[in-house]
Amino acid sequence: YINGEPISGMVELEEGITNIPARTFNNSKGLIAVSLPSTLATIGESAFVGCDSLIEVQNHSALPISVGSSDYGLVAYYAQNVYDDNAGASKLDTSVPGYVFYADQDVVYLVDYTGEPTVVTLPADYQGRGYTIRDYTFIGRSDITSLDISSNASFGGYFALYDLIGLESLHLPYVGMTAADAEKLNPPAFYLGYLFGSTLDDCNEVVVPETLKTIVIKGGTTIPASAFAKCANVETITLPDEVKNIGYGVFEYCTSLKSFHVPQHVLSIGPRALTGCSSLESITAAPGATVDNAYTAAGNCLIIKGAVLFACKNSVIPTDGSVTSISLGAFYDCTELTSIVIPASVTVINESAFVGCTNLTSVTFENPTGWSAGSTALTEDLSDAAIAATCLKETYSTSKWTRTA
């Protein structure tokens, strides 16, 4: 900051300046390049401290500044390129309208967005090469409402999307820091909040913008555990057709999520994937990838091998005999569920299936006799819908229910 104003982009200091006072550019996260005048003689202590994005220094002065040096106010501490009047050249490229790239033979970085549009589709590539979005690339751009990221892009750190506090729609190329992560069965831990400025696990509810409503994932075969958990304002998440593995708790407590669709190639969905999605209205599924592990949807229930795996407030369990059990936590914390019919074909209701269904007042058992909760034979009148509801959500909520013929 200078005179209270944040400094970003590329800064050329005027000839005649002889000294840069201590901490002049302190914490200027958006500063990507600086040109030092020939008249410069001294740089105060920590003049450039916290300038994490300062990737290039043009040095016209006589000061012996080198890449990575902690001398001269840290001006080149974060830099990858320092050049002067006698050797070297700039590696920054502004030829792509609205963007600043840094490119050398080993890496390509997107370091700044300078365009006016607030609905942004990033370049597909840089001269045929993939690129990495550097931290703080979008600093100061809280006006951006939509961002579509190329499949040839990767993320350079935990602040790649920092400051996009007005973002409403985000198109991700995959879920993870790199495309390789998204193809691993057990990828490194990843939370959406990592891209918005947090290094902490379970950070989504803290740093993901409250304005973000729509997420489209364009590629990758794996969605890692808890990646979008507690993104409380997101209403729509679209998964890619090629996704195979959906991790534990991926959308847990996305309390505004309206719908969930399982693409055709999904092989596994982890426990608690939809737990606490209290606004969920619709669950659908494409035909399963294999006969032995096919997910189907009916009545807004996600079903696998005769078991209701996940459900929502609008779920109606099929009564055609296809469902024989209700899985562990299938309706867990479905706070807007008010009534449900348990078909006669159901003989097992697993533990905690209806825990947290606080507004469930009516449970109709098509066959109310012969039920046990754990080792306890139930004597309550389960033909009474209100009594049955209390038993399922409270009295015996953590027990496994079974019915004998």
Side-chain angles (χ1 to χ4, degrees), residues 268-280:
S268 66
I269 302 177
R272 300 182 66 87
L274 296 174
T275 294
C277 295
S278 54
S279 297
L280 198 62

Side-chain angles (χ1 to χ4, degrees), residues 189-314:
F190 176 87
Y191 293 82
L192 183 62
Y194 285 175
L195 302 181
F196 289 93
S198 178
T199 61
L200 302 176
D201 290 352
D202 200 21
C203 59
N204 292 342
E205 63 181 329
V206 179
V207 296
V208 173
E210 294 182 359
T211 54
L212 186 60
K213 304 294 184 184
T214 301
I215 297 173
V216 177
I217 304 164
K218 299 187 290 183
T221 59
T222 297
I223 313 295
S226 301
F228 300 96
K230 300 182 182 179
C231 290
N233 296 295
V234 174
E235 298 178 358
T236 303
I237 299 177
T238 303
L239 303 181
D241 288 340
E242 63 262 40
V243 71
K244 295 180 180 179
N245 306 295
I246 299 173
Y248 176 97
V250 165
F251 307 112
E252 187 175 28
Y253 294 104
C254 288
T255 53
S256 298
L257 189 66
K258 302 294 186 184
S259 63
F260 178 68
H261 178 73
V262 181
Q264 63 179 344
H265 298 298
V266 170
L267 297 175
S268 66
I269 302 177
R272 300 182 66 87
L274 296 174
T275 294
C277 295
S278 54
S279 297
L280 198 62
E281 299 172 345
S282 170
I283 298 176
T284 58
T290 67
V291 173
D292 292 334
N293 199 27
Y295 291 92
T296 60
N300 293 308
C301 298
L302 186 62
I303 301 165
I304 183 169
K305 297 180 180 178
V308 173
L309 186 63
F310 297 111
C312 68
K313 64 179 182 179
N314 291 336

Side-chain angles (χ1 to χ4, degrees), residues 385-399:
I387 292 175
T390 299
C391 288
L392 261 185
K393 71 177 182 178
E394 295 175 6
T395 314
Y396 304 103
S397 61
T398 59
S399 297

